[in-house]
């Protein structure tokens, strides 16, 4: 049975009667956490608060390390092309000129092709099993790169690799939103995304070390793909073994702790997970200002990431450094990202309504770095290297943008389509970013630098629009409710709206986290 918006509102009004908890009837609600939520009356508010802190600690020790390691390994895969390009990868496969740009770009065509289907599959199937399977497929494709013989072969492999990666980040976002409160999510998401920085450091050392291997039948770039592919395969094995699909199936939690885990995330006002696809929720995206702003930010992040991740070696080599040192000099970029991204997560977590502000402010740092690259003479090569390092802060805007979506979009079909659309435009941006670095403009790439500057400026403007839109909507909803209703009924009603799979626009009790 699918409820209309009016039916659901009527149910909310009739159900919010007890002072403790909403009476959720699992037979009427299809969310996978409804059965456990119905048992919450067995615990007092004091027990829920005390045991909730214990459950959070368990989640931090069991889930976060696995998510972090997984993201480190999968980002190594994405950097593998960049590291390989520092050696003989380009001449060996005949990728001179714009051919290399297209090899970098076609990965994103695969990503673009599979982003929305992958997000819908994530809504329908067990999350950990899907992601573990994707990791195995990814590992096989990375290892297959060592057998590539020509331009056509590597194009096919990169397209398939892009399809495989389309499911990784959305899965990570879903894990975080299913197990953590909305106030806890920015820091946790920042922690596992900071794995990008660790991957950059590990990859730079790995690429530097493998570049000194001369007594093997494989070339240095082939060793890079083989090593990273095997690491991914091992990670996939551990992922399938250790990761639960949802709080309801977490084996390291007792039944009582699973009840507490579901209660914790019920405060997010989005339920846990509903498998039913509702078309009207998908259509709501196209007149939702905050989602459209996040999607615009996704395009800009994609353009920047597509350029930086594939051409940082080329930039540094253009400053006068040899191929092997161009790889090693990317080591500090990982340290910068590994520090800056968690700091942004901390600020967003502990400073109320600061997400949009943090996103806008952090864009100013790489913006300044781009101006430095654009206007510094080539003779000041260490200044140029330092400005290039700042471009790896792109992880901070990405993670905050993801968090804005995961905490402010209710309705599981709407969230799936919003996430899928974000990653689709992000992939499109990566395609553009990899192709605005024109070979004839090396080593300064003035057209590309101008494009990246425009992207950062656009993100700052979109942050302001999203902030004003959500702030205005919160004020309008508060004005439509009496003070007594806000104090006594809003939170419980918002929880029930979430379990009934209502969107943030359908539920007048939903409030946006700025």
């Amino acid at each position: 049975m699918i409820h209309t918006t009016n039916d659901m509102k009527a149910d909310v009004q009739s159900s919010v009667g007890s002072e403790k908890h909403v009476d959720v009837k699992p037979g009427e609600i299809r969310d996978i956490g409804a059965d456990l939520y119905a048992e919450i009356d067995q615990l007092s508010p004091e027990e829920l608060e005390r045991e909730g802190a214990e459950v959070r600690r368990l989640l931090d020790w069991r889930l976060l390390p696995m998510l972090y390691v997984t993201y480190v390994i999968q980002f190594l895969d994405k950097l593998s092309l960049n590291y390989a390009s520092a050696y003989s990868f380009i001449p060996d496969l005949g990728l001179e000129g714009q051919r290399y740009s297209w090899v970098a770009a076609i990965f994103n065509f695969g990503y673009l092709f599979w982003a929305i289907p992958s997000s819908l599959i994530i809504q329908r199937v067990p999350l950990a099993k899907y992601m573990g399977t994707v990791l195995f497929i990814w590992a096989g494709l990375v290892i297959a790169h060592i057998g590539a013989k020509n331009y056509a072969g590597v194009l096919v492999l990169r397209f398939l690799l892009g399809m495989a990666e389309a499911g990784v980040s959305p899965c990570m976002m879903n894990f975080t939103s299913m197990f953590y409160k909305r106030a806890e999510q920015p820091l946790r998401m920042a922690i596992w995304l900071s794995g990008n920085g660790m991957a950059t450091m590990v990859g730079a050392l790995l690429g530097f070390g493998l570049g000194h291997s001369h007594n093997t039948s494989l070339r240095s770039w082939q060793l890079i793909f083989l090593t990273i592919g095997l690491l991914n395969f091992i990670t996939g094995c551990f992922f399938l073994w250790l990761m639960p699909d949802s709080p309801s199936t977490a084996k390291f939690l007792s039944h009582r702790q699973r009840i507490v885990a579901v209660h914790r995330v019920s405060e997010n006002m989005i339920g846990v997970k509903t498998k039913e696809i509702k078309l009207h929720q998908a259509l709501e995206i196209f007149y939702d200002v905050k989602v459209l702003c996040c999607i615009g930010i996704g395009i800009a992040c994609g353009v920047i990431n597509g350029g930086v991740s594939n051409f940082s070696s080329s930039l540094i080599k253009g400053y006068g450094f040899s191929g092997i040192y161009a790889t090693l000099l990317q080591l500090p970029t990982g340290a910068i990202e590994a520090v800056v991204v968690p700091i942004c997560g901390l600020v967003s977590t502990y400073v109320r309504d600061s997400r949009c502000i943090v996103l806008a402010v952090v864009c100013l740092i790489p913006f300044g770095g781009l101006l430095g690259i654009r206007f510094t003479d080539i003779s000041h090569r260490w200044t140029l290297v330092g400005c290039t390092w700042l471009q790896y802060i792109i992880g901070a805007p990405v993670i905050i943008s993801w968090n804005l979506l995961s905490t402010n979009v209710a309705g599981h079909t709407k969230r799936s389509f919003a996430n899928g659309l974000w990653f689709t435009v992000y992939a499109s941006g990566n395609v553009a970013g990899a192709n605005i670095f024109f070979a004839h403009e090396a080593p300064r790439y003035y057209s590309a630098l101008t494009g990246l500057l425009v992207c950062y400026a656009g993100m700052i403007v979109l942050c302001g629009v999203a902030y004003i839109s959500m702030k205005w909507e919160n004020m309008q909803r508060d004005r439509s409710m009496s003070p007594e209703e806000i104090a006594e009924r809003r939170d419980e009603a918002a929880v029930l709206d979430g379990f009934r799979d209502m969107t943030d626009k359908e539920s007048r009790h939903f409030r946006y986290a700025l």
Side-chain angles (χ1 to χ4, degrees), residues 28 44 52 65 157 199 208 232 250 266-267 269 277 279 296 307 320 326 338 353 368 382 386 394 399 422 494 510:
E28 298 178 359
S44 68
L157 285 172
F208 182 76
N232 206 340
S266 70
E267 299 175 18
M269 301 175 285
I277 305 295
L279 182 59
D353 290 342
W382 284 107
I394 184 60
I399 203 66
W422 193 98
F510 189 94

Side-chain angles (χ1 to χ4, degrees), residues 5-77:
T5 301
N6 291 333
D7 290 337
M8 288 187 284
K9 288 181 177 178
D11 289 342
V12 168
Q13 293 168 355
S14 63
S15 298
V16 183
S18 67
E19 294 181 0
K20 283 182 62 181
H21 299 291
V22 178
D23 180 22
V24 178
K25 298 178 181 179
E28 298 178 359
I29 298 176
R30 300 186 179 187
D31 193 283
I32 63 174
D35 289 340
L36 288 171
Y37 189 78
E39 300 181 47
I40 286 177
D41 281 326
Q42 299 173 10
L43 287 78
S44 68
E46 293 76 18
E47 288 174 320
L48 287 169
E49 183 175 357
R50 183 180 64 253
E51 295 181 32
E54 181 182 346
V55 167
R56 186 191 66 226
R57 284 192 293 272
L58 276 171
L59 296 175
D60 284 343
W61 282 105
R62 293 297 190 98
L63 299 186
L64 272 185
M66 193 69 246
L67 293 175
Y68 181 84
V69 170
T70 302
Y71 219 70
V72 168
I73 301 302
Q74 72 91 35
F75 195 69
L76 268 179
D77 297 342

Side-chain angles (χ1 to χ4, degrees), residues 190 193 297 301 304 336-348 354-370 387 389-402 404 452-453 455-457 459-461 463:
L193 187 98
I297 292 170
C301 287
I304 296 164
I336 291 171
E337 185 172 20
V339 172
V340 172
V341 173
I343 288 174
C344 291
L346 275 170
V347 175
S348 299
S354 63
R355 291 169 173 85
C356 292
I357 295 171
V358 170
L359 201 163
V361 170
V362 79
C363 285
L364 295 174
I365 301 172
F367 185 88
L370 286 170
C387 291
W389 288 345
L390 294 179
Q391 302 315 305
Y392 277 78
I393 297 176
I394 184 60
V398 167
I399 203 66
I400 299 171
S401 175
W402 289 354
L404 285 171
L452 300 185
L453 285 166
C455 287
Y456 275 117
M459 283 198 285
I460 293 170
V461 172
C463 285

Side-chain angles (χ1 to χ4, degrees), residues 312-335:
S312 54
S313 285
S314 298
L315 281 169
I316 293 173
K317 286 171 70 175
Y319 305 150
F321 296 94
S322 66
I324 198 164
Y325 286 101
T327 299
L328 190 60
L329 281 172
Q330 293 175 63
L331 186 62
T333 65

Side-chain angles (χ1 to χ4, degrees), residues 68-193:
Y68 181 84
V69 170
T70 302
Y71 219 70
V72 168
I73 301 302
Q74 72 91 35
F75 195 69
L76 268 179
D77 297 342
K78 286 192 283 189
L79 292 173
S80 58
L81 187 68
N82 183 41
Y83 295 135
S85 70
Y87 301 107
S88 61
F89 177 71
I90 291 176
D92 285 351
L93 298 184
L95 306 181
E96 290 83 359
Q98 289 299 110
R99 279 192 167 191
Y100 176 73
S101 295
W102 279 107
V103 168
I106 200 165
F107 174 94
N108 299 289
F109 282 107
Y111 199 123
L112 190 156
F113 173 75
W114 198 242
I116 290 179
S118 180
S119 292
L120 294 177
I121 291 171
I122 287 169
Q123 185 179 344
R124 297 284 298 174
V125 304
L127 189 59
K129 294 179 180 62
Y130 175 72
M131 184 167 171
T133 302
V134 167
L135 292 175
F136 280 127
I137 295 171
W138 184 301
L141 290 169
V142 173
I143 293 171
H145 278 62
I146 66 176
K149 302 298 182 183
N150 51 40
Y151 179 50
V154 77
L155 281 177
V156 172
L157 285 172
R158 299 303 295 178
F159 182 86
L160 295 174
L161 200 62
M163 287 182 61
E165 201 226 332
V168 176
S169 293
C171 282
M172 303 283 277
M173 292 170 63
N174 274 272
F175 276 118
T176 308
S177 63
M178 282 202 303
F179 284 95
Y180 288 101
K181 295 180 182 180
R182 69 196 318 204
E184 299 166 350
Q185 290 176 25
L187 178 58
R188 272 72 185 178
M189 293 177 76
I191 286 172
W192 55 253
L193 187 98

